[in-house]
Amino acid sequence: MNHPDFKQRVLTSEDLSLIAGGVPALDDFPGVRPWNRDKLWAAVLRAFLDARTKAEREAAQQAIGAIQALDSVELLFVRRDR
């Protein structure tokens, strides 16, 4: 993760998986390990659509917020092999 040129994107998908694994709102969702953004989004959106109680909806909304934050991190810092 450390790199002398801090402007270079230096995270990997494994790093994102580690970060997402530490977020309690994402504990029970597939796509966290190994990192799979599309699978994670699909699972969280399905949980939101299937939520029947206020607590389930709030948990799904927290997961959506966590994924949005991870999307920002991925956009800015994930190493892209070009």
Side-chain angles (χ1 to χ4, degrees), residues 1 47 77:
M1 207 162 102
F77 297 106

Side-chain angles (χ1 to χ4, degrees), residues 6-17:
F6 294 109
K7 292 180 183 177
Q8 182 175 351
R9 297 163 191 227
V10 294
L11 293 177
T12 65
S13 60
E14 291 82 18
D15 294 327
L16 276 178
S17 183

Side-chain angles (χ1 to χ4, degrees), residues 4-72:
D5 179 8
F6 294 109
K7 292 180 183 177
Q8 182 175 351
R9 297 163 191 227
V10 294
L11 293 177
T12 65
S13 60
E14 291 82 18
D15 294 327
L16 276 178
S17 183
L18 181 66
I19 294 167
V23 178
L26 301 177
D27 278 345
D28 297 325
F29 291 105
V32 172
R33 288 203 171 120
W35 178 252
N36 184 327
R37 178 187 177 276
D38 294 335
K39 191 176 201 180
L40 182 58
W41 265 111
V44 169
L45 291 175
R46 174 56 48 204
F48 184 74
L49 292 173
D50 292 344
R52 295 181 183 263
T53 66
K54 182 178 179 182
E56 289 174 343
R57 285 190 301 276
E58 287 174 352
Q61 287 173 333
Q62 287 180 352
I64 289 170
I67 296 172
Q68 288 173 330
L70 288 168
D71 279 348
S72 296

